[in-house]
Amino acid sequence: MSWTEIAWNLLYALLILVAGNVLSAWLRDATALALDRSPLDVLVRRLIVSVVRPAVLAITVFAALAQLGIPMTTFAAMAGAITLAIGLSLQGSLSNVASGAMLLSLRPFDVGDRIEAAGHEGIVSQLGLFHTRLHANGNTVTLPNDAVWSKAITNFGDLPTRRIDQPYVLVHDADAAAAERILLELLNADQRVLSEPKPVVRYAVDELGVVLTSQAHVANIDFQGARSDQCRDALAAFKQAGIRLASRIR
């Protein structure tokens, strides 16, 4: 190869690099503009946009090297080995990113919702690509997104109402009918309890005694306060009526 051909190849390679740089910037902006009209979450859009430019530049570099006559097999093998090593070392992180992208796209919950995920219950304070943060009992719980996505997620704030299921275990010889009347009177007197569906008391029996479970629907925002008040009032009413509990309330 003559010096003239080498010079022209260098010039073409340089032009390829310049064109690739311009094209990568244009594609990045065009992708960002297109994704702005999509329903995807902001973090997901940013992730996609951030990948466009490096991917185009990588292709541009390979094209420029090919123009210079440098064999691509060696570079391809090196790139494959490097990619494999990075992938193995970041396997957990990449799994969290993939799970975070799914959470952000499908939105089984939003910031501010009370959820139960990966064995923890709390209010979602942050949803990112790598982790989800909950506020629970005055503490901040940080959960890897892979752990959140791979298990069942219960969203307590997805619906406007929520049912309170409060069990009471009475001794076997207790007056269960009287206890049922007390519970229904308390539920019907509570202004937070919805009239539809009607509050009910369910019966069951276990080795400790008769299990009465009061069921009442309330607005989601009233759930914690109503459940606590119902439990307190029921305990006081049972004590006054001489109805004994077989064990602590579950």
Side-chain angles (χ1 to χ4, degrees):
M1 181 180 294
S2 64
W3 286 105
T4 302
E5 292 175 334
I6 294 175
W8 278 111
N9 285 335
L10 285 173
L11 178 60
Y12 290 147
L14 180 61
L15 291 175
I16 290 173
L17 290 175
V18 173
N21 185 56
V22 174
L23 179 62
S24 64
W26 180 83
L27 285 175
R28 178 196 59 196
D29 296 339
T31 303
L33 184 62
L35 291 177
D36 282 342
R37 305 187 185 96
S38 72
L40 293 176
D41 187 85
V42 176
L43 287 176
V44 177
R45 296 201 299 264
R46 289 177 181 174
L47 177 65
I48 296 174
V49 171
S50 66
V51 171
V52 172
R53 184 172 170 83
V56 175
L57 289 177
I59 296 173
T60 301
V61 170
F62 278 106
L65 292 174
Q67 179 62 41
L68 294 175
I70 299 175
M72 292 293 100
T73 54
T74 303
F75 286 98
M78 293 176 59
I82 293 173
T83 302
L84 178 60
I86 293 175
L88 290 175
S89 62
L90 298 178
Q91 184 177 5
S93 298
L94 294 176
S95 178
N96 285 326
V97 170
S99 299
M102 296 298 293
L103 290 172
L104 290 167
S105 300
L106 299 179
R107 286 293 187 179
F109 55 83
D110 288 307
V111 173
D113 288 347
R114 175 176 288 275
I115 69 168
E116 181 179 352
H120 297 273
E121 179 180 342
I123 298 175
V124 180
S125 62
Q126 183 181 351
L127 174 57
L129 278 177
F130 291 94
H131 59 258
T132 298
R133 285 182 178 171
L134 306 179
H135 284 166
N137 301 322
N139 300 314
T140 298
V141 180
T142 301
L143 302 174
N145 282 336
D146 185 45
V148 176
W149 180 252
S150 62
K151 298 181 180 179
I153 301 171
T154 302
N155 189 341
F156 299 113
D158 194 39
L159 299 176
T161 63
R162 187 173 171 186
R163 192 179 76 184
I164 299 174
D165 286 28
Q166 182 60 65
Y168 305 87
V169 184
L170 313 181
V171 295
H172 283 288
D173 59 351
D175 189 345
E180 179 185 2
R181 288 194 298 271
I182 290 173
L183 291 175
L184 288 175
E185 288 173 1
L186 292 174
L187 294 178
N188 290 322
D190 192 338
Q191 298 296 321
R192 294 165 296 188
V193 174
L194 303 178
S195 57
E196 290 294 334
K198 292 175 59 176
V200 296
V201 176
R202 304 293 184 187
Y203 278 70
V205 178
D206 64 13
E207 67 279 2
L208 294 177
V210 180
V211 182
L212 299 186
T213 301
S214 62
Q215 296 179 344
H217 287 77
V218 297
N220 211 311
I221 192 173
D222 293 330
F223 178 82
Q224 298 292 342
R227 182 175 64 173
S228 176
D229 292 346
Q230 289 174 16
C231 183
R232 178 199 62 202
D233 295 342
L235 289 176
F238 286 161
K239 183 177 181 180
Q240 185 176 3
I243 299 174
R244 294 187 299 114
L245 297 179
S247 67
R248 292 182 301 173
I249 296 175
R250 295 174 183 174

